Amino acid sequence: MVIGLTGGIGTGKSTVSQILREKGYEVIDLDVISHEVIRFPQVVEKIVENFGKEVLEKDNFGNYTVSREKLGKIIFKNKEKRLILNSIMHPEILHFMREKIFGHKKENKIIFVEIQLLFEVQWEKEFDYILLVSANTDTQIQRVLKRDDRTYEETLNIINSQMSLDEKKKKSDFVIENDGNIQELRKKVDDFLKEIAFENKN
């Protein structure tokens, strides 16, 4: 069984991933995969072709790599360029994700894949179930401000640029509301795992 784990910025999906890992579950993080994919020579070549050499930076070994920060500034407010980048990155990420899932299937009955923009990229069919980690907007903003070097306005812009959590709830099989503390979240993860075990039996 492959479960897509998603949620908006600051909802706590990475904390849920960590709890699942502590319990011995395999969690594939698509953010980690995207960091690897953006270093693939064929991907770097296509990005430079479409965005220019100004998105490159030298790493500690003197090699040129794509600067996610420079690229982010270009695509954040430009939908057309964001779509171009997605068309370069997504097929590679999807292929890599499928390979990882296949590699873990023999040892694991349940595999989780943490993917922030699951619905935005329309990859619902890749998963048997989808678990959404949700939180109210105020909670999201407070968490991001504590964690990241972002302003209130920047954080709100990111939240508003993503599909609304209400819309995501309609598309999800399971929802964990994460507005409380870590102990409450652990209890909700346990309850979810019992529910999924029951679903798996039937």
Side-chain angles (χ1 to χ4, degrees), residues 122-157:
Q122 300 178 332
W123 286 359
E124 296 98 313
K125 289 180 181 176
E126 296 293 320
F127 308 103
D128 299 306
Y129 294 105
I130 294 169
L131 168 62
L132 175 74
V133 184
S134 185
N136 68 53
T137 306
D138 287 342
T139 303
Q140 284 181 271
I141 291 168
Q142 289 311 311
R143 285 179 183 150
V144 174
L145 292 180
K146 274 184 188 176
R147 182 190 71 194
D148 300 346
D149 184 24
R150 296 187 193 276
T151 64
Y152 181 94
E153 191 181 3
E154 281 175 331
T155 305
L156 198 57
N157 283 341

Side-chain angles (χ1 to χ4, degrees), residues 177-194:
E177 296 285 357
N178 180 29
D179 291 306
N181 59 37
I182 188 70
Q183 288 78 19
E184 290 170 322
L185 182 59
R186 286 182 185 279
K187 168 76 168 59
K188 287 180 178 180
V189 171
D190 284 339
D191 291 343
F192 160 73
L193 290 170
K194 284 174 194 165

Side-chain angles (χ1 to χ4, degrees), residues 12-25:
K13 66 192 171 305
S14 295
T15 307
V16 170
S17 287
Q18 189 54 43
I19 292 168
L20 291 167
R21 285 191 184 97
E22 286 168 11
K23 290 177 177 294
Y25 289 93

Side-chain angles (χ1 to χ4, degrees), residues 1 3 25 109-110 129 174 192-202:
M1 184 193 299
I3 300 173
Y25 289 93
K109 285 185 179 176
I110 302 176
Y129 294 105
F174 301 93
F192 160 73
L193 290 170
K194 284 174 194 165
E195 198 174 347
I196 206 75
F198 179 78
E199 288 280 340
N200 208 17
K201 281 180 187 174
N202 296 314

Side-chain angles (χ1 to χ4, degrees), residues 55-147:
V55 298
L56 296 178
E57 63 183 3
K58 268 189 182 180
D59 64 16
N60 296 332
F61 304 101
N63 301 314
Y64 282 99
T65 59
V66 174
S67 165
R68 288 168 65 94
E69 191 183 341
K70 288 177 183 176
L71 202 53
K73 283 177 182 173
I74 293 170
I75 66 160
F76 185 67
K77 290 183 179 176
N78 188 320
K79 190 181 177 183
E80 193 180 314
K81 294 200 171 179
R82 191 158 65 242
L83 290 172
I84 291 168
L85 182 64
N86 289 348
S87 72
I88 296 167
M89 294 282 291
H90 287 176
E92 298 281 357
I93 291 170
L94 190 58
H95 179 70
F96 201 176
M97 180 188 84
R98 285 172 176 165
E99 279 189 343
K100 287 232 177 201
I101 289 169
F102 182 76
H104 289 299
K105 264 190 172 173
K106 285 180 183 175
E107 315 103 55
N108 300 276
K109 285 185 179 176
I110 302 176
I111 298 165
F112 290 89
V113 179
E114 183 185 337
I115 166 171
Q116 182 166 319
L117 302 178
L118 189 157
F119 297 113
E120 286 86 344
V121 297
Q122 300 178 332
W123 286 359
E124 296 98 313
K125 289 180 181 176
E126 296 293 320
F127 308 103
D128 299 306
Y129 294 105
I130 294 169
L131 168 62
L132 175 74
V133 184
S134 185
N136 68 53
T137 306
D138 287 342
T139 303
Q140 284 181 271
I141 291 168
Q142 289 311 311
R143 285 179 183 150
V144 174
L145 292 180
K146 274 184 188 176
R147 182 190 71 194

